[in-house]
Amino acid sequence: LYPQSEMKQEGTPENSVLLFGHSANEMGEAAALRYIEKYSPAHILFIEPGTKDFFAKMLNIRRALLQNGWHVLYPCPEESECP
């Protein structure tokens, strides 16, 4: 990801994957959700630290994705609220 880049996305392939590798925790929830909205990938993969701090942030990202029609497998494998 190049936050300062002027690269334009001309359409996202049907089988695209947006990968966050130790980056969503650095950029924050709002920025991660903006990238997801901008690129509209078919799949999203988060490889992030397993800390309590990021888990709380991931719950917010998860909630936003569910509200926008995504099917989510992490951090809880069901689409109801995480315990």
Side-chain angles (χ1 to χ4, degrees), residues 22-76:
H22 292 270
S23 56
N25 67 313
E26 298 288 334
M27 70 177 66
E29 303 160 47
L33 291 169
R34 282 194 302 272
Y35 276 109
I36 293 166
E37 183 179 344
K38 178 178 180 179
Y39 292 105
S40 299
H43 306 280
I44 307 165
L45 178 61
F46 290 92
I47 301 173
E48 299 291 340
T51 63
K52 288 182 181 182
D53 181 52
F54 187 72
F55 182 75
K57 293 175 185 176
M58 191 65 219
L59 287 178
N60 291 331
I61 293 171
R62 180 184 186 279
R63 198 171 295 116
L65 292 173
L66 285 170
Q67 290 172 351
N68 286 293
W70 286 88
H71 299 285
V72 179
L73 299 175
Y74 170 85
C76 302

